[in-house]
Amino acid sequence: MTRDPKRVKPLLICLLGPTASGKTDLAIELAAARDCELVSVDSALVYRGLDIGSAKPDYPHHLVDIRDPAEVYSAADFAADAHRLAAEISARGRTPLLVGGTMLYFRAFLQGLAEMPPADPAARAAIEAEAARLGWPAIHAQLAAVDPQAAERIHPRHSQRLARALEVYRTSGIGISEWQRRGGAHPPPAERYRIVQLAICPAERALLHERIALRFEQMMRAGFLDEVRALRDRGDLHPGLPAMRAVGYRQLWQHLEGGLELDAAVLQGIAATRQLAKRQLTWLRKWPDLRWICTERDGKA
């Protein structure tokens, strides 16, 4: 019995991995081999002006440079954009290839996110003012009193997630954990696509750390500090914005504010990038249906 080609689902590729693992280079190779269009899954690449510090690629990607750094781009925004782009790319007879390291974006696309109350700038500003006065652990304690499940998942110093969780409760009267249990706005993409999930990472953790340090040093030589200075000089940005909390940016911003010597800021930026890679690998170890690609020092699998 032959398979009806009309019933074969179109292919969709997800390429995940920690920062500095070689995702972009592999994605470009796959794009040529499989006639793919690349969709960036990176919470820094969405912002215009964050070029050097985000290692913005030259090769065309969707969802790059689509927001001003003063704006917020959420996982829900990404999921909606990715569903739309995947359908458009498939309709053109090409293969969508989602590539990046923002695991929450991947999860939002593949598993869905519950519909949430919209952002409330006034409520968020009030929470941030309280945090400035009392400290983020106090905000965490407030969240624990109204949504203990969310508080258990969120670190007491993860300011962005804490603020959003408490904002959701204050504006809706319902905890973010309950909203998340209520289901997502889009059908799971597995209903429409044949999904192949790949994860790339150096075989040795020490090699990944070397790559992170080398790339940060290269970014500094390429003018990373001047890039952060130009963003700060705009006057409408501040360290609390999601764009300015990206690793490297917040450490160099702190240097420009007089809080860190430049050498210390660079070392802290490298350390923060390594911590990011560690968190990404923690996500990936629990990720279902992954095919791993382990690379050696010469970059070969």
Side-chain angles (χ1 to χ4, degrees), residues 21 36 44 51 90 92 114 118 155 159 163 197 237 260 298:
S21 60
C36 301
D51 301 327
S90 293
R92 289 193 284 269
H155 191 277
S159 57
Q197 299 185 80
L237 304 178
L260 278 177
D298 59 5

Side-chain angles (χ1 to χ4, degrees), residues 155-233:
H155 191 277
R157 295 195 180 277
H158 199 308
S159 57
Q160 183 178 4
R161 294 182 65 196
L162 276 177
R164 176 57 178 159
L166 193 56
E167 172 195 333
V168 166
Y169 178 79
R170 289 186 178 181
T171 57
S172 70
I174 298 171
I176 196 170
S177 297
E178 177 59 28
W179 283 104
Q180 290 169 341
R181 281 191 290 269
R182 294 184 179 187
H186 300 278
E191 294 182 5
R192 299 183 58 189
Y193 305 98
R194 291 179 293 120
I195 299 177
V196 173
Q197 299 185 80
L198 307 173
I200 183 172
C201 186
E204 300 177 14
R205 180 71 62 87
L207 177 56
L208 181 62
H209 286 184
E210 289 175 19
R211 289 182 181 177
I212 288 169
L214 176 61
R215 189 172 72 172
F216 204 100
E217 292 163 5
Q218 291 171 337
M219 291 190 301
M220 292 301 296
R221 290 195 294 271
F224 189 13
L225 182 61
D226 290 336
E227 178 172 278
V228 178
R229 182 180 287 111
L231 291 165
R232 180 173 174 267
D233 288 347

Side-chain angles (χ1 to χ4, degrees), residues 100-135:
T102 301
M103 304 306 166
L104 181 60
Y105 283 10
F106 272 115
R107 189 177 72 176
F109 172 71
L110 292 167
Q111 302 177 16
L113 287 174
E115 297 223 26
M116 297 270 179
D120 186 317
R124 178 66 65 92
I127 292 167
E128 291 178 348
E130 288 179 40
R133 189 172 67 254
L134 304 173

Side-chain angles (χ1 to χ4, degrees), residues 216-265:
F216 204 100
E217 292 163 5
Q218 291 171 337
M219 291 190 301
M220 292 301 296
R221 290 195 294 271
F224 189 13
L225 182 61
D226 290 336
E227 178 172 278
V228 178
R229 182 180 287 111
L231 291 165
R232 180 173 174 267
D233 288 347
R234 280 181 36 161
D236 63 333
L237 304 178
H238 58 83
L241 289 166
M244 297 299 98
R245 284 199 290 267
V247 292
Y249 287 90
R250 64 176 179 264
Q251 288 79 22
L252 294 185
W253 187 292
Q254 191 175 356
H255 161 69
L256 292 172
E257 293 281 320
L260 278 177
E261 294 293 330
L262 181 56
D263 288 348

